[in-house]
Amino acid sequence: MTHRFTHGRTTFTFPDLATLMARASPRRSGDELAGLAAASAEERVAAQVCLAEVPLTRFLEEPLIPPEQDEVTRLILDRHDLAAFAPVGGLTVGQFRDWLLRYETDGTVLTALAPGLTPEMVAAVSKVMRQQDLILVASKIRKVTRFRSTLGLPGTLAVRLQPNHPADDPRGIAASILDGLMYGCGDAVIGINPATDSPSSYHELAGLMDRLITEYHIPTQSCVLAHLSTALRAMEAGAPVDLVFQSIAGTEAANRSFGIDLALLREARAAALSLGRVPPGGQVMYFETGQGSCLSAGAHHGIDQQTLEARAYAVAREFDPLLVNTVVGFIGPEYLYDGKQIIRAGLEDHFCGKMLGLPMGCDVCYTNHAEADQDDMDTLLTLLGTAGCNFIMGVPGAADVMLGYQSTSFHDSHYLRQLLGLRPAPEFAAWLETMGIMQDGLRLQPAGPHHALVAPQLQALAASPN
């Protein structure tokens, strides 16, 4: 179906839904690299006007990627809940945006709606929303998940403690963990990106975190962010695995480039559950995503990067994850050129994930060759806090020395928690108070009653992690 919009003597033509979606996307370098972006601001607005008139049902009738070519499309269509979709089934994209902003459309309504939405519907409505719209609607939605800590509760902000080391040195990693715990970080997960993707390294790092969590009764969970095939081998060898990690994308071909498919994800989740480490009803999967991954793999099917990112959330939703985060600026300026594009993408991703029922966090980050700086990250961090983001990253000094990019620091979580009156996950907050690290869930207590006893023990573990 062709869409046309005439302004003065100029007529803009969009031959199909995929082209219309791409042209309606806010500007970003990845779509320009792929030759999909609007050629001008006028064309972008024309596409947004046309997109606002598209019925939501059209996304069920006209899949952007044919199901016979793509298992992600088949998953999206197979899992679509018509009964849940009914309240918005008669709306256009523009009317859906207005409906989302109504006072009556609260978190309960949006949670019930999530199974009735496809990623393409959610991506489409985000393209006709302002930043404040994305923030307001996302702030209405809470997605609560559980392992040893309860994440996503109202009034809380969790932090992934990210203690990466360029040589996987257990002493360096343990020292970073100690640093993060002393700042009240780690309630989302203590998650290590290993420098080497081997089962032996995986087993060693998982064992280090397991000993720490067990010895000090820390109500959190651990994860080694290696490929899930490595995690499967490590679990077979008896490694103490809490969460299984995997980067995922929005097309079958892109996921294949990662060395995965839906069947392998199901196998990994079943293996993690079979270990019996998670409480009944808890979650064992951790996913990371990022705009541009399909394009970088040559697997984008002519679809814009933000829509494909939303499709990755359909993959995540299938496996009931504890944590999902968009590593928003990590892939580089070829896909998100500057701070403005990174900020917009972070808000889009958070909104789309929440709308699809996911426990969304964000790695508020950029690479050093992007036209962005820490002031841009402060802006995105603050906006995501007001939008109800489940968790952020805690990286020593905000600079990851292994992955070589800039993120958010342990200190940044205290800024956001103080600003918005947010606390750690309740179990973790209670542990911090017991250990004399924090008072009232907000204030660090470096000279608390137990700190003098606890710190030397943790330092000893850091000095001799084995």
Side-chain angles (χ1 to χ4, degrees):
M1 177 180 176
T2 300
H3 300 262
R4 291 185 176 85
F5 180 83
T6 300
H7 176 66
R9 297 183 178 181
T10 303
T11 297
F12 297 96
T13 302
F14 311 102
D16 53 39
L17 188 55
T19 302
L20 180 63
M21 291 275 280
R23 301 292 193 272
S25 287
R27 184 180 181 185
R28 58 211 52 195
S29 52
D31 290 338
E32 292 173 342
L33 178 67
L36 301 174
S40 65
E42 288 179 317
E43 185 182 19
R44 184 172 296 108
V45 171
Q48 290 169 343
V49 171
C50 291
L51 182 59
E53 297 172 353
V54 172
L56 292 178
T57 52
R58 176 126 176 253
F59 295 99
L60 300 174
E61 300 161 358
E62 187 180 327
L64 299 185
I65 303 174
E68 59 271 17
Q69 298 178 17
D70 186 87
E71 69 171 355
V72 176
T73 299
R74 295 195 294 275
L75 175 71
I76 291 167
L77 296 177
D78 289 347
R79 294 294 186 264
H80 183 252
D81 187 331
L82 277 173
F85 179 59
V88 298
L91 302 182
T92 65
V93 170
Q95 290 169 337
F96 184 37
R97 178 256 182 193
D98 294 341
W99 183 87
L100 290 172
L101 295 171
R102 293 172 54 187
Y103 293 115
E104 296 81 6
T105 307
D106 59 16
T108 301
V109 171
L110 292 172
T111 298
L113 177 66
L117 298 177
T118 69
E120 292 84 356
M121 295 174 190
V122 174
V125 75
S126 76
K127 296 176 193 297
V128 300
M129 297 173 80
R130 292 173 58 186
Q131 314 276 64
Q132 62 178 250
D133 300 339
L134 299 173
I135 293 167
L136 177 60
V137 175
S139 73
K140 300 179 182 183
I141 307 168
R142 306 304 309 190
K143 175 63 176 180
V144 177
T145 56
R146 294 177 178 84
F147 199 105
R148 296 186 188 95
S149 57
T150 303
L151 307 174
L153 292 169
T156 65
L157 172 73
V159 182
R160 170 189 159 189
L161 202 170
Q162 184 169 309
N164 297 341
H165 191 280
D168 285 343
D169 183 341
R171 289 172 297 179
I173 289 170
S176 292
I177 293 174
L178 168 62
D179 190 22
L181 291 173
M182 291 300 102
Y183 278 100
C185 297
D187 47 342
V189 63
I190 302 175
I192 303 170
N193 296 90
T196 56
D197 197 342
S198 69
S200 60
S201 176
Y202 188 111
H203 206 139
E204 181 179 17
L205 295 174
L208 165 63
M209 292 186 287
D210 184 61
R211 288 192 298 276
L212 176 67
I213 289 171
T214 301
E215 182 170 352
Y216 294 100
H217 308 287
I218 307 174
T220 189
Q221 35 286 331
S222 68
C223 184
V224 181
L225 281 73
H227 192 273
L228 64 81
S229 61
T230 304
L232 280 166
R233 293 196 297 273
M235 283 188 281
E236 290 172 359
V241 176
D242 287 345
L243 303 183
V244 173
F245 166 81
Q246 184 57 48
S247 294
I248 56 173
T251 69
E252 178 181 348
N255 283 324
R256 235 182 1 250
S257 76
F258 291 160
I260 62 165
D261 57 18
L262 297 180
L264 189 59
L265 287 167
R266 291 190 180 99
E267 179 184 350
R269 180 172 182 265
L273 287 171
S274 73
L275 298 179
R277 297 172 67 85
V278 65
Q283 290 79 24
V284 295
M285 301 299 286
Y286 176 17
F287 295 120
E288 287 188 346
T289 66
Q291 289 193 27
S293 58
C294 293
L295 175 58
S296 69
H300 64 292
H301 295 270
I303 311 300
D304 70 272
Q305 66 183 41
Q306 189 259 330
T307 298
L308 293 174
E309 172 73 2
R311 284 170 55 95
Y313 302 151
V315 175
R317 181 169 61 176
E318 176 71 3
F319 299 98
D320 186 26
L322 180 81
L323 305 164
V324 180
N325 71 271
T326 168
V327 192
V328 63
F330 182 76
I331 200 166
E334 299 84 358
Y335 305 93
L336 295 170
Y337 179 72
D338 57 16
K340 182 179 179 67
Q341 292 186 16
I342 292 170
I343 290 167
R344 173 73 192 191
L347 295 176
E348 288 170 348
D349 295 351
H350 180 257
F351 164 83
C352 289
K354 281 286 191 70
M355 286 292 295
L356 292 170
L358 291 178
M360 284 301 295
C362 184
D363 191 341
V364 179
C365 64
Y366 65 101
T367 57
N368 287 317
H369 61 312
E371 290 296 318
D373 59 27
Q374 213 65 33
D375 285 341
D376 295 315
M377 299 306 102
D378 284 351
T379 299
L380 178 55
L381 175 67
T382 305
L383 295 175
L384 286 169
T386 63
C389 189
N390 277 29
F391 69 102
I392 60 170
M393 304 298 118
V395 178
D400 192 298
V401 294
M402 194 278 283
L403 294 174
Y405 78 117
Q406 309 301 310
S407 185
T408 45
S409 71
F410 302 142
H411 304 71
D412 291 335
S413 65
H414 287 281
Y415 152 70
L416 202 57
R417 284 170 173 169
Q418 288 180 76
L419 177 70
L420 301 175
L422 303 173
R423 286 168 166 74
E427 302 89 346
F428 195 77
W431 179 83
L432 291 171
E433 296 216 16
T434 298
M435 303 299 274
I437 296 170
M438 186 175 284
Q439 183 179 15
D440 299 326
L442 289 172
R443 187 186 297 273
L444 286 175
Q445 297 293 302
H450 303 292
H451 188 273
L453 297 176
V454 172
Q457 296 178 60
L458 291 175
Q459 288 165 356
L461 181 65
S464 180
N466 293 319

